[in-house]
Amino acid sequence: MPQNPVLANRQGMDHFLYRDGALYAEDVPVAEIAAAVGTPFYVYSTATLQRHFRLFDEALEGMDHLVCYAMKAASNQAILKTLTQAGAGMDVVSQGEYLRAKAAGVPGDKIVFSGVGKTAEEIRVALTGGIRQFNVESEPEMEVINAVALELGQVAPITIRVNPDVDAKTHAKIATGKSENKFGIPIARARDVYAHAASLKGLKVVGIDVHIGSQLTELEPFRQAYQKVAELTETLRADGHDIKRLDLGGGLGIPYTRSNEAPPLPVEYGQLIKETLGHLGCEIEIEPGRLIAGNAGLMVSKVIYVKSGEGRDFLIVDGAMNDLIRPAMYEAHHDIVAVQEPEAGIESRPYDIVGPVCETGDTFAKERNMPPLDAGDLIAFRSAGAYGAVMASEYNSRPLIPEVLVHGDQFAVIRPRPDYDEMINRDTIPEWL
Ligand code: LLP
């Protein structure tokens, strides 16, 4: 597909382009990877991951800052290593993610721990292994962090996540900044909660945290939220709190279609941060996930059957909702392209593109215009690097699909496809059977 010149320079730019009629991941033909690992699989581009991290890092130049990659978007060890080597910190939301960050070599003082329900055990593991800060989500959680810290003879650095009650104007399932959402404490209660935090000996307040949602395609909601954070910083400082760090969450959206979407650029987002918060002299943290990983990954799948239905044709492919759940869960759009570039002038036709899982929801796209395709042809789902592999399941006893990382002309399997025995033998049989 010819690169759209408007997008070529935007954050959607990636390293999956056609060359001589074939889709490449950097310098590797996607079909070559398919031949080596089988389908379906995820493939990521090192250059795109690095580029997207750099865009954020450069956007905050001139401010003391740390870009903490929200690894919930894609948490393979090889991806984490790529990003930590580029200088990223990490945002984690569970013990598993914390341990993944440590295993990838991320130092504790570059790991922030977010998440609505951290357990005492998770808090203990992070305090023992080293942590930059906990982003506290509620008063009961704050009490538990305090208690665990005292028990370990430590002082836990914390920010408190405030809910600024702004409309992120995104899909309801991924909006987090309205007062009816489960996240953070109401900003109106912040003074009381900070006063209480200051009285707890196991805690050290270091700043404020906010995150209003994901896949935001406008800057305005960020502006509203960050202005409220700026006011709160001044109020809390006047109350005597040492607010030196602002964690601004993630959420900047990506273009999921190549044609008509142009969400704000990281540089514009950085500019907004400077405008709204620059005068406070705080250290800035951001937690982007989707923008770093989303357009750095494809899911590649093979057409199993072309089936003619009443009034439409179905492409039944070997990837399914258990491998990429975003269309079923959020009605999300993913561009889908043929791995072999359609010849110029070839007429496309509408297909319903579906997986083999026994649910109507296992539909990736309806009436999607595609070049004529046959059984055995490869297709690629674009923008699948974030919230793709990490949200996969083994539903219908379909083994998790492999992940591959490309670097220039090299590629490596970074998570192999389990064999069926491996999957089945995880179950254990009780004695009485
Ligand atoms: N920080 C916090 C506290 C978050 O909850 C999230 C995402 C992020 C950072 C990263 O946001 P991002 O930059 O990726 O937008 N599964 C959904 C997205 C869920 C997002 C959850 N939280 C999807 O596939 O669209």
Side-chain angles (χ1 to χ4, degrees):
M1 185 195 299
Q3 185 80 16
N4 176 327
V6 180
L7 284 178
N9 228 354
R10 301 189 80 90
Q11 74 270 39
M13 194 196 116
D14 59 45
H15 297 77
F16 303 109
L17 299 172
Y18 286 117
R19 248 190 244 174
D20 305 326
L23 187 66
Y24 274 66
E26 299 191 21
D27 298 329
V28 183
V30 167
E32 192 181 313
I33 305 173
V37 305
T39 55
F41 63 91
Y42 280 99
V43 56
Y44 308 95
S45 153
T46 300
T48 312
L49 288 167
Q50 289 170 335
R51 175 174 190 274
H52 289 168
F53 167 74
R54 250 195 340 266
L55 288 178
F56 277 118
D57 203 33
E58 288 168 7
L60 296 177
E61 230 165 55
M63 300 181 99
D64 192 6
H65 69 272
L66 184 66
V67 178
C68 296
Y69 169 61
M71 74 154 80
K72 62 166 75 71
S75 56
N76 188 289
Q77 286 289 291
I79 294 175
L80 303 186
K81 265 188 188 286
T82 300
L83 291 169
T84 189
Q85 285 176 10
M90 301 279 155
D91 171 54
V92 306
V93 292
S94 68
Q95 183 170 341
E97 287 197 351
Y98 178 82
L99 295 174
R100 275 186 181 276
K102 294 288 281 191
V106 185
D109 64 4
K110 289 177 104 175
I111 304 175
V112 304
F113 205 139
S114 303
V116 190
K118 302 171 208 62
T119 64
E121 173 63 11
E122 289 180 311
I123 295 162
R124 196 169 294 118
V125 166
L127 274 175
T128 310
I131 191 80
R132 182 178 183 82
Q133 94 225 5
F134 292 98
N135 293 333
V136 174
E137 289 263 359
S138 67
E139 290 165 271
E141 185 188 70
M142 190 164 93
E143 299 289 347
V144 174
I145 297 175
N146 180 55
V148 175
L150 290 175
E151 172 197 307
L152 295 173
Q154 290 198 29
V155 178
I158 63 155
T159 70
I160 297 175
R161 177 169 176 181
V162 293
N163 186 325
D165 194 22
V166 303
D167 183 354
K169 302 205 180 110
T170 183
H171 192 286
K173 282 188 186 156
I174 51 176
T176 55
K178 284 291 283 175
S179 55
E180 69 256 31
N181 300 133
K182 67 179 177 181
F183 302 94
I185 58 153
I187 199 160
R189 294 215 52 236
R191 286 180 82 181
D192 290 348
V193 181
Y194 272 86
H196 183 49
S199 73
L200 298 174
K201 300 271 176 296
L203 303 181
K204 163 121 186 67
V205 171
V206 297
I208 304 173
D209 173 45
V210 70
H211 170 80
I212 57 173
S214 194
Q215 185 55 15
L216 271 70
T217 52
E218 294 170 31
L219 286 182
E220 199 43 40
F222 287 118
R223 184 187 302 280
Q224 287 171 19
Y226 296 169
Q227 276 166 350
K228 290 190 181 189
V229 168
E231 280 166 33
L232 181 63
T233 303
E234 285 173 348
T235 309
L236 292 177
R237 282 179 171 169
D239 287 349
H241 301 285
D242 181 18
I243 305 296
K244 57 180 185 192
R245 187 181 288 170
L246 301 176
D247 182 331
L248 303 176
L252 192 59
I254 62 170
Y256 274 97
T257 60
R258 303 253 111 191
S259 43
N260 54 8
E261 273 180 281
L265 303 175
V267 66
E268 292 160 345
Y269 175 67
Q271 198 50 43
L272 170 75
I273 291 174
K274 289 175 189 168
E275 274 165 41
T276 49
L277 300 161
H279 59 288
L280 297 165
C282 286
E283 181 184 4
I284 299 295
E285 288 165 3
I286 54 171
E287 304 168 349
R290 188 190 312 266
L291 198 145
I292 291 180
N295 279 320
L298 306 176
M299 183 179 82
V300 180
S301 184
K302 189 161 69 186
V303 177
I304 314 175
Y305 297 112
V306 183
K307 171 170 156 178
S308 299
E310 273 184 35
R312 66 182 73 193
D313 289 340
F314 292 93
L315 284 184
I316 302 171
V317 302
D318 63 0
M321 65 189 286
N322 68 298
D323 304 310
L324 175 64
I325 203 171
R326 302 193 68 260
M329 192 153 173
Y330 313 110
E331 294 85 39
H333 172 99
H334 285 264
D335 275 358
I336 305 172
V337 299
V339 167
Q340 187 176 350
E341 187 174 22
E343 279 163 33
I346 201 142
E347 208 160 305
S348 58
R349 58 164 81 168
Y351 289 105
D352 281 12
I353 302 175
V354 302
V357 163
C358 307
E359 294 208 26
T360 307
D362 188 20
T363 297
F364 290 117
K366 288 198 160 162
E367 300 193 346
R368 184 70 66 86
N369 281 325
M370 300 287 293
L373 288 164
D374 288 319
D377 287 343
L378 296 173
I379 59 171
F381 293 76
R382 286 186 167 277
S383 313
Y387 307 111
V390 285
M391 292 182 79
S393 76
E394 291 179 339
Y395 186 38
N396 277 209
S397 288
R398 295 166 46 85
L400 293 181
I401 67 177
E403 294 180 285
V404 172
L405 183 65
V406 170
H407 183 219
D409 61 2
Q410 311 173 59
F411 72 92
V413 174
I414 57 174
R415 190 178 67 196
R417 192 188 306 278
D419 65 28
Y420 285 99
D421 284 346
E422 223 177 300
M423 184 175 72
I424 294 166
N425 292 336
R426 276 205 311 265
D427 297 354
T428 52
I429 309 293
E431 249 170 40
W432 64 84
L433 286 177

